[in-house]
Amino acid sequence: MRKFHGRCSIVTIAIMVLVLTALSARVFAAEQQEKKDEKEKITVGYTPYDPMIKEDKDGNLYGYGVTYLNELARRAGWTYKFVKVNESERIEKLLNGDIDLLCGIHKDCAQKDQLLFCKETTALEYGMLAALKNNTDIFFDDFQHINGKKIGINTSSDLENALVRYAKENGISYEPVYFDDYESLQEALNNKTIDIMLVSSLRDIDNIKYVGKTYSIPESFAVSGNNPQLMDKLNKTDLELKREQPFYIAALHEVFFGVPYQKLTGITREEYEYVSSEPTIKVAYNSDSYPIEYTDEKTNKYAGVYAETMELISQESGLKFEYIPIKDFSKAWEMVRDGEADIIAGSYMDRELAEKYHMLYSQSYLSEEYTIVGRKGEEIPENAVIALPKCFVEIQSYFQSEEPKWEIKEYKDITTCLEAVNEGEADLTAVNSVFLQTVYNLSNYEQLRIVPNMTRTIPIYIGIGENTQNASVLKSILDKTINKIPEEKFQKCVTENAINISYKPTIWEVVRQFIPHILLAISAVIVAVAYIISKREKHYKHLALTDSVTGLWNEVKFNKEAQELLEKNQEQAYIVITIDINKFKFINNDFGVRIGDNILKTLGKRIQEIFGGVGIYAREAADVFMIMMAEKDYREEMLRPLGKEISFENAGKRQSYRITIKAGICVIEAGGERKDISRYVDQASMARKNIKESASENIAYYDEKIKKRIAQEIAIENKMEDALLKGEFQVYLQPKYYLPTGEIVGAEALVRWVEPSGKIIPPDNFIPLFERNGFIIQVDFYVYEQVMKRMQKWKQEGRRQICVSVNVSRVHVRTYDFFQRLNELIEKYQIPKEYFELELTETIMGSAQGMTKDFIQECKKQGYKVSIDDFGSGYSSLNLLKDLPVDILKIDKGFLDETAESERSSIIVEQVVEMAKKMKIGTLCEGVETLKQAEFLKGIGCDMAQGYLFSKPIPMEEFEKMI
Ligand code: C2E
Ligand code: CA
Ligand code: CA
C-alpha cells in the first residue's frame, strides 16, 4: 500500500508539473507568435474546436499540442506561428505550403500517401460513439440498439476506419451520414437528424453520453510530403524527447484529457434501468464521528464530509440514498453483511474486510491522513501496542495488514485511546488528522506528541453489501460516478467541513521541491497509470507533507506542527536549528545527484536517530534541514555526530566522504509572544549563514540580533507616550472597492507613526510591541477617535456616508470596558454604528475560543459591523464561522501571492468566496496588486477588494478628495 502511494504521488507531481508547463505554455505560445526574430519559424495550423490547440477567451493558445510543440521548440530552438484554418481545408493547406505542420493527424487518413508523419505516435486517441445525454434508447455497448441507427461522421477527422472495424466486430450495421466538419456534425446530433455521432475521444463535449468506444487510433504531427527536411528535424527532436522522457505522451494525455479508460465509458442499459427503478439504497453511517460523519443536532440529518460526498454521488448518478445512523459503528459492518443496510459511505477497505463482511467496494474517492500519536520522548518500539477504537474495524484491519508486528488493543473510543497512550497502557494510537484539527486537542494530555514521519494516508472507499440487490451493478454505477466527479469536488467536501485552510500548501510549494526529480517522475508515470486504472486515490495532503528524498517531513508540515507546538506550550522554551552541509554543491557536482541524494538521506537518518525522541525535524530544501525541540532537551553535543563520515558506492567502488555541517540556532523564550515559526527559522538561518567557511566553530546562535531588537524596543517604549501626545501617530485610510462597479464603498484605517523628522515607521515595527506592553489600547482608541471625528466632518459637509473599518487588537478582548469606551465615542460624534466596522483578526478567533466568540457576538449585539481580518492566515476553519455573526470576511493577502501560478490557492479563494456567499457573509480580498488578480476575484464573485492596485493607504485629507 505504501509503495503504491509513492508511485501515485510521483504521478500526481508529474501531472502538476505538466499543468504548470501547460499554463506557462499559453504565454509562451503567445509570445512566440509575436516574436519576430531570426530563428526558424514553423507555421502550425489549427482549426476551430481543435482539441489539440485551444484558444482561451483572450486569444491565447494552449492545450496538448501547444505544450508538446513548445517542448520540442525548447530543444530544437525554432519558433512557431499559429494560423487558424478550416478543418475541411487543413490538409490542402498543408500540401500547398500555406502551413508547415498539423497536430493530431491520423496515420491512416485518406491523404496519408501525400503526408509525412513522425516515427513515434504523438497522441492516443479513440473513436467514440456519442448520443445525446437524454437519449434513453441507446446505452453503452448496447449493440442491439445501436444497430440500424444513423451515425454521423466528420469526414475531416478520419475516424471512419475505426468505426467500420468496430461495427464489423460487433455485428452492427448502421446508416452513415457525412459532414464536412465537427461543427455541423454536432449540430446534426442536437437536431436529431442523426442518432449517434462518431467523435474523437480527445474532445470535451457537454450534453452527450458515450455509447461505444472503438479502437485506439495512432496519430501524430504531419507535414507535407514535399517537406522531408522538416520531418527529419521533428523526428530527431521528438525521439530525443522520448529517449529522455519515455512516457511523455501518457503524462501529457492525463493532464489534458484525463485517463481514457476511466472517462470513456458510458452508462449501460442495465445500469440505467437500475437507477430508473429508483431503489432506495440504505446507507449505514456513524452518527457520532464529527466532522467526518454525524447526525446534525439541529436538523437531525446526516452531515459531515461523507454526507457531502454522498450528495455529490447522488446528484451525478441519480441514485437515492436513505441514511441510517449507527452509534456503534462496528454494527454497521454487520448490518451490511446481513443485508440490513446496503452500503457504508466512507471507509478504508481491503480484501480481508470485504471477505469477512461479504462486501464489494468501489474505487477510492478520497484519502484520509491519520496522525500517529505517541508519548513525548519515546520512540515507537518494534512490537508496539497500538490503541484503536473498538468500532473502527477498518482501521484495525489497516494496521493489522500494514504493521503486522504491532499489537492492537481495543478501546471504547478515541478519547480512551488517547488516555491509554498518555498513561502508558499503549505505545501509540492513530487519529484521523481532521479530528486533531477539530475535535481533539493533544495539549490536553501531558505526555502526548505527534510522532513525526509516521503519518499514514489511508484510502477511502464505499463498501457495498454483496447481499444488496444488483450489488455489482450498483458497484459499477458508483465507480463510474466517482470517476466522473472531479477530484477537487471531493476534496472540497473535506475543506468545507474541517481542514484548516491555512495549511493547504500551494501547488507551487508542492512542485518546487520535486523539480529535480521530474525526469524520474515521468518515467514512473506508466507504471502508475496501470494502478490508477484499477484504483484511484486522492492524497494531495500526503504528498504535500513529506520530502521525497529523505522521507522526512517537508517544510510545510514542519511549520504546521512546529507552530502548533509553540502555541500549545506557551510556557515552554524552544530552540530552532537549521543545518546545512558545507560545499554540498560541490558534492553534487563531483559525485553526481544520486550520491548527493544518498548523502542527504544519510544525514536525514542521523537527524532522525538523534532527534527522533525529542524533537521534530524536516528537510527544508536542498541540503538544509530544520529541527525544533524544547530547549531543556537540547545539548550542543547532539549536533556533533551529524558531521561524520558517510560512505557510499561510487562507480563500483566504496568511497567515503566526511561531511561537515553548519548549524544556526534560534532560541524561543518561554512565555513570550509566539511569532510565526518561519521567523524563527529565518533567524536560525541568518545565524548559520554568518558562519564563515573557514570558521573553527560551526554552530552559531542568533543572539546579537536579539540584543539589538531589545535595544530598539526599549527606545520605542521610551518615546511612545510622548509621540501619542504630540500627534505623531497619524491615521491613513485605504479605500475599499466594490468589484462589480469599481466604486469606493469604504476604507480601512491604518495607523502610521510619523516622526518629527518626517520618517514614517510602519505599524509592523511597533504594533507587536504595543500589543505586548498594552499601549495598543491607547493607540487604537486614538485611531478610533480620529476616524470618528473625520466621519462627523464628512457628514457636516454633506458628503456621502462611507463605512470605515478599524483594527481591533486582540488585547481589547481581555479588557472590560472596550464597548463602553467605544460607545461613548460613538455618542460623542454621532456616528451610525453600522458605518463603523470592527476588524478582528483570525487569531482572535483561534485563541481562547469561547471568550472571543463572546467578544465577537458582543460587537454584533452592540450594532457594529464585524469583519474577520487576515482570514486564512491562521488557525480558524470555515467551520468556526458557522456560529459567528460575521458581516465580512477579509481574505488574507497571502492567498493572492501566487494566484497567478497556483491553481490551488485560487481554488481555495474560490471556495471561501462561495462558502461565504452561502452563509450570507460578504467577501473582501486584501492585497490586490494586479489587474489580473482583480479580474479573477471579480470573476469568482468576490464582493470587494483592497490593495495597491487601487490605492495605497493615504492620509485622510487625500482620501477625502476621492469621495
Ligand atoms: P492589516 O490589518 O492586514 O492591514 C493591511 C495591511 O496590508 C496594511 O499594512 C496595508 O498597508 C497593507 N496593504 C494594503 N494593500 C496592499 C497591497 O496591495 N499589497 C501589500 N503587500 N500590502 C498591502 P500596514 O498599514 O503596514 O499595517 C500592518 C498591520 O498592522 C495591519 O495589517 C494591522 O494588523 C496592523 N495595524 C495597522 N494599523 C493598526 C491600528 O490602528 N490598530 C491596530 N491594532 N493594528 C493596526
Ligand atoms: Ca486590518
Ligand atoms: Ca488584513
Side-chain angles (χ1 to χ4, degrees):
M1 179 62 66
R2 245 169 302 149
K3 245 189 220 139
F4 167 62
H5 279 297
R7 292 211 189 93
C8 203
S9 61
I10 288 168
V11 173
T12 321
I13 284 297
I15 288 164
M16 286 174 170
V17 170
L18 282 166
V19 170
L20 282 180
T21 340
L23 290 175
S24 55
R26 281 184 197 222
V27 185
F28 194 39
E31 274 172 8
Q32 286 196 333
Q33 269 171 303
E34 284 155 26
K35 209 155 73 192
K36 290 202 168 48
D37 54 14
E38 343 63 56
K39 281 188 193 161
E40 183 180 0
K41 188 163 268 177
I42 299 172
T43 309
V44 180
Y46 69 101
T47 62
Y49 303 99
D50 197 324
M52 303 297 268
I53 301 180
K54 300 184 187 187
E55 218 173 315
D56 71 11
K57 61 181 193 313
D58 302 324
N60 296 321
L61 301 181
Y62 68 101
Y64 185 104
V66 176
T67 303
Y68 198 149
L69 284 170
N70 280 334
E71 180 59 36
L72 296 178
R74 201 175 61 76
R75 290 160 182 274
W78 55 54
T79 61
Y80 303 106
K81 180 177 164 204
F82 290 88
V83 179
K84 200 165 185 166
V85 294
N86 277 334
E87 196 177 356
S88 53
E89 295 166 1
R90 61 180 175 168
I91 304 276
E92 207 181 302
K93 296 228 162 183
L94 189 67
L95 292 174
N96 70 22
D98 284 350
I99 51 178
D100 304 320
L101 178 85
L102 283 168
C103 294
I105 304 297
H106 296 159
K107 289 187 170 178
D108 71 341
C109 74
Q111 301 94 329
K112 60 173 182 283
D113 296 336
Q114 291 159 273
L115 303 175
L116 294 170
F117 295 100
C118 286
K119 288 205 180 99
E120 294 274 294
T121 297
T122 59
L124 310 164
E125 188 183 12
Y126 299 85
M128 300 301 298
L129 296 180
L132 287 177
K133 195 167 197 166
N134 55 15
N135 182 329
T136 51
D137 178 34
I138 319 167
F139 294 92
F140 196 79
D141 274 353
D142 190 3
F143 306 125
Q144 196 188 339
H145 292 84
I146 295 174
N147 200 25
K149 289 290 184 312
K150 280 194 188 127
I151 301 186
I153 298 161
N154 173 5
T155 49
S156 314
S157 71
D158 298 299
L159 292 164
E160 196 177 1
N161 290 345
L163 174 63
V164 171
R165 199 175 135 203
Y166 171 85
K168 198 167 145 207
E169 285 183 12
N170 294 305
I172 300 165
S173 63
Y174 60 90
E175 187 183 324
V177 186
Y178 295 99
F179 299 88
D180 275 350
D181 52 26
Y182 173 68
E183 212 175 346
S184 38
L185 173 68
Q186 201 185 24
E187 206 179 292
L189 184 75
N190 287 335
N191 297 339
K192 303 194 178 144
T193 30
I194 52 173
D195 307 297
I196 295 173
M197 66 175 174
L198 174 66
V199 283
S200 157
S201 59
L202 303 183
R203 288 191 188 279
D204 219 357
I205 318 168
D206 289 336
N207 207 27
I208 57 111
K209 62 175 188 179
Y210 290 126
V211 297
K213 175 163 147 238
T214 74
Y215 305 92
S216 73
I217 303 157
E219 58 173 52
S220 103
F221 299 125
V223 307
S224 156
N226 306 326
N227 201 351
Q229 304 88 342
L230 177 58
M231 188 40 78
D232 273 355
K233 275 186 269 179
L234 264 176
N235 261 329
K236 197 170 142 266
T237 319
D238 188 46
L239 289 173
E240 182 190 307
L241 166 65
K242 303 290 167 61
R243 257 199 309 275
E244 269 177 37
Q245 302 186 23
F247 307 110
Y248 185 74
I249 302 272
L252 206 57
H253 200 282
E254 207 176 317
V255 171
F256 287 100
F257 306 118
V259 179
Y261 325 92
Q262 288 182 349
K263 255 184 55 181
L264 303 180
T265 52
I267 297 289
T268 64
R269 180 171 296 275
E270 199 184 16
E271 289 160 4
Y272 172 77
E273 280 167 1
Y274 177 83
V275 176
S276 312
S277 72
E278 299 194 357
T280 311
I281 298 153
K282 286 190 234 132
V283 183
Y285 76 90
N286 190 336
S287 61
D288 195 20
S289 189
Y290 173 87
I292 304 286
E293 54 173 356
Y294 57 99
T295 307
D296 186 318
E297 279 172 14
K298 285 192 205 115
T299 58
N300 216 11
K301 285 207 175 103
Y302 183 35
V305 177
Y306 299 158
E308 283 171 31
T309 57
M310 292 311 278
E311 179 58 31
L312 277 181
I313 289 170
S314 168
Q315 276 168 11
E316 178 68 43
S317 63
L319 293 172
K320 301 254 175 341
F321 300 117
E322 183 187 300
Y323 299 104
I324 313 169
I326 310 286
K327 232 183 147 61
D328 172 5
F329 200 58
S330 52
K331 292 264 163 18
W333 293 80
E334 289 157 19
M335 284 174 73
V336 173
R337 182 194 58 202
D338 302 340
E340 291 161 35
D342 300 313
I343 66 177
I344 286 176
S347 169
Y348 166 75
M349 291 290 283
D350 55 29
R351 194 154 347 124
E352 274 126 63
L353 273 170
E355 264 168 29
K356 183 164 169 204
Y357 291 99
H358 304 278
M359 281 170 138
L360 307 170
Y361 53 104
S362 73
Q363 309 220 11
S364 166
Y365 62 91
L366 201 69
S367 71
E368 286 176 357
E369 190 189 84
Y370 273 69
T371 301
I372 303 291
V373 177
R375 264 187 311 280
K376 285 180 188 158
E378 284 180 36
E379 299 267 4
I380 303 299
E382 205 177 323
N383 299 314
V385 175
I386 177 170
L388 289 173
K390 180 167 164 286
C391 64
F392 291 172
V393 289
E394 77 283 15
I395 299 304
Q396 293 192 17
S397 178
Y398 172 84
F399 281 103
Q400 227 155 45
S401 61
E402 287 289 302
E403 298 290 351
K405 286 196 177 147
W406 289 0
E407 183 197 331
I408 296 173
K409 212 162 160 184
E410 281 187 354
Y411 286 88
K412 189 166 130 260
D413 51 24
I414 298 173
T415 310
T416 44
C417 286
L418 290 171
E419 281 165 3
V421 179
N422 195 47
E423 257 117 60
E425 284 175 37
D427 298 306
L428 74 159
T429 180
V431 186
N432 189 318
S433 304
V434 167
F435 288 147
L436 286 182
Q437 285 167 2
T438 50
V439 189
Y440 300 92
N441 191 340
L442 286 195
S443 62
N444 296 338
Y445 302 89
E446 205 141 279
Q447 297 302 326
L448 297 189
R449 64 155 183 154
I450 289 173
V451 185
N453 298 319
M454 285 194 74
T455 303
R456 299 309 172 95
T457 301
I458 300 186
I460 299 299
Y461 308 85
I462 298 174
I464 306 148
E466 266 173 2
N467 290 327
T468 298
Q469 274 213 330
N470 295 312
S472 62
V473 179
L474 177 57
K475 170 177 155 47
S476 101
I477 297 172
L478 290 171
D479 283 343
K480 285 178 183 172
T481 311
I482 289 170
N483 282 332
K484 271 206 199 118
I485 298 175
E487 299 188 8
E488 306 86 78
K489 285 203 179 174
F490 284 122
Q491 199 63 39
K492 192 170 158 186
C493 300
V494 183
T495 332
E496 288 189 353
N497 279 285
I499 291 199
N500 178 337
I501 58 169
S502 63
Y503 289 125
K504 284 269 174 126
T506 63
I507 195 168
W508 184 236
E509 279 171 328
V510 176
V511 168
R512 202 165 39 194
Q513 65 171 127
F514 284 94
I515 282 177
H517 308 285
I518 197 61
L519 291 182
L520 182 99
I522 291 183
S523 336
V525 162
I526 213 79
V527 186
V529 163
Y531 272 86
I532 295 182
I533 298 161
S534 55
K535 291 180 181 180
R536 185 169 80 160
E537 304 206 3
K538 297 153 194 78
H539 54 103
Y540 288 106
K541 272 205 90 192
H542 170 75
L543 253 184
L545 302 176
T546 44
D547 166 40
S548 63
V549 177
T550 60
L552 301 187
W553 285 354
N554 67 11
E555 188 186 355
V556 176
K557 177 78 172 172
F558 176 88
N559 285 352
K560 175 187 169 186
E561 301 296 340
Q563 195 76 46
E564 268 176 32
L565 278 175
L566 288 180
E567 307 284 332
K568 282 178 185 158
N569 307 298
Q570 303 265 359
E571 297 312 315
Q572 174 90 263
Y574 283 93
I575 67 161
V576 171
I577 313 175
T578 74
I579 288 173
D580 75 354
I581 303 174
N582 285 328
K583 304 202 179 82
F584 185 68
K585 230 175 54 219
F586 300 109
I587 299 179
N588 254 345
N589 282 345
D590 294 353
F591 299 114
V593 175
R594 198 177 55 84
I595 287 173
D597 279 359
N598 269 335
I599 289 180
L600 293 176
K601 264 186 218 146
T602 309
L603 183 59
K605 247 212 199 113
R606 285 183 188 168
I607 291 177
Q608 194 164 7
E609 281 161 9
I610 299 169
F611 299 95
V614 287
I616 59 172
Y617 40 86
R619 183 166 83 117
E620 186 189 329
D623 61 330
V624 180
F625 291 80
M626 42 212 222
I627 302 165
M628 188 176 97
M629 63 199 301
E631 197 203 19
K632 63 176 171 48
D633 295 331
Y634 169 70
R635 308 277 170 277
E636 211 170 273
E637 303 84 75
M638 290 172 127
L639 291 170
R640 305 278 171 223
L642 293 179
K644 268 193 321 202
E645 247 166 42
I646 290 181
S647 68
F648 48 82
E649 192 110 354
N650 188 16
K653 275 187 285 188
R654 270 227 87 72
Q655 287 191 349
S656 66
Y657 181 85
R658 191 187 138 81
I659 56 165
T660 54
I661 59 142
K662 282 202 287 264
I665 296 175
C666 164
V667 179
I668 306 166
E669 306 293 347
E673 193 209 15
R674 250 101 225 236
K675 284 183 270 184
D676 198 275
I677 177 70
S678 59
R679 284 263 207 110
Y680 301 121
V681 172
D682 285 350
Q683 290 173 350
S685 295
M686 226 178 325
R688 172 169 53 80
K689 285 175 191 158
N690 278 334
I691 304 174
K692 300 238 162 39
E693 205 82 297
S694 55
S696 56
E697 188 50 86
N698 57 0
I699 299 173
Y701 291 81
Y702 175 83
D703 52 3
E704 282 310 308
K705 269 273 156 76
I706 293 176
K707 275 188 214 146
K708 223 186 205 161
R709 197 200 65 208
I710 292 171
Q712 256 169 6
E713 288 186 347
I714 291 172
I716 290 184
E717 279 185 318
N718 283 339
K719 55 186 181 184
M720 64 190 184
E721 280 170 31
D722 226 347
L724 186 61
L725 287 175
K726 289 187 181 146
E728 287 179 23
F729 290 102
Q730 291 184 13
V731 179
Y732 276 41
L733 291 176
Q734 185 176 34
K736 297 175 185 168
Y737 288 77
Y738 184 58
L739 279 166
T741 60
E743 171 196 21
I744 296 182
V745 285
E748 174 178 10
L750 294 156
V751 72
R752 297 286 178 270
W753 183 345
V754 187
E755 290 196 313
S757 65
K759 190 179 145 220
I760 298 180
I761 309 178
D764 284 342
N765 290 10
F766 57 85
I767 299 260
L769 171 65
F770 290 2
E771 286 188 332
R772 266 178 283 138
N773 65 20
F775 192 60
I776 190 69
I777 296 188
Q778 288 177 61
V779 174
D780 270 356
F781 272 103
Y782 177 79
V783 170
Y784 304 165
E785 181 151 14
Q786 295 300 315
V787 168
M788 289 191 207
K789 236 187 222 165
R790 188 63 60 150
M791 289 173 85
Q792 188 189 40
K793 175 174 166 264
W794 293 341
K795 200 164 147 200
Q796 286 160 354
E797 293 169 355
R799 293 176 200 264
R800 81 182 149 101
Q801 278 277 16
I802 266 204
C803 178
V804 180
S805 64
V806 296
N807 289 288
V808 179
S809 165
R810 65 178 129 175
V811 176
H812 296 290
V813 177
R814 280 177 255 134
T815 62
Y816 62 97
D817 60 357
F818 177 79
F819 292 104
Q820 193 192 334
R821 285 182 73 178
L822 195 62
N823 289 342
E824 276 166 17
L825 288 176
I826 287 277
E827 278 292 301
K828 182 168 164 197
Y829 295 100
Q830 289 294 304
I831 307 295
K833 281 179 175 169
E834 66 275 21
Y835 283 93
F836 201 76
E837 179 179 326
L838 304 177
E839 290 196 16
L840 305 157
T841 56
E842 229 200 356
T843 32
I844 292 194
M845 292 169 59
S847 60
Q849 271 175 30
M851 192 158 108
T852 45
K853 215 163 136 181
D854 293 347
F855 187 82
I856 295 173
Q857 265 154 357
E858 190 60 28
C859 293
K860 214 45 230 165
K861 215 168 105 195
Q862 295 281 342
Y864 294 97
K865 205 164 164 186
V866 173
S867 53
I868 298 299
D869 202 356
D870 303 349
F871 186 79
S873 71
Y875 275 79
S876 77
S877 70
L878 287 163
N879 229 17
L880 260 173
L881 289 176
K882 283 190 188 141
D883 326 310
L884 286 174
V886 169
D887 297 296
I888 308 245
L889 271 195
K890 296 191 74 180
I891 300 167
D892 187 59
K893 51 179 170 282
F895 278 115
L896 284 187
D897 286 351
E898 289 180 346
T899 301
E901 295 88 16
S902 153
E903 235 164 316
R904 222 167 158 78
S905 286
S906 45
I907 289 174
I908 292 169
V909 174
E910 207 173 329
Q911 287 182 13
V912 168
V913 169
E914 204 182 308
M915 284 281 296
K917 275 229 156 75
K918 276 193 212 145
M919 293 189 258
K920 307 232 169 358
I921 299 175
T923 44
L924 178 149
C925 202
E926 304 183 291
V928 178
E929 294 184 347
T930 66
L931 207 57
K932 204 166 161 196
Q933 291 169 343
E935 262 158 18
F936 164 74
L937 293 167
K938 193 170 157 186
I940 60 167
C942 179
D943 301 313
M944 286 172 282
Q946 179 183 344
Y948 295 168
L949 171 67
F950 305 98
S951 166
K952 292 205 164 179
I954 45 179
M956 293 209 273
E957 302 75 41
E958 268 180 54
F959 178 80
E960 222 164 72
K961 291 182 202 135
M962 297 174 77
I963 48 169

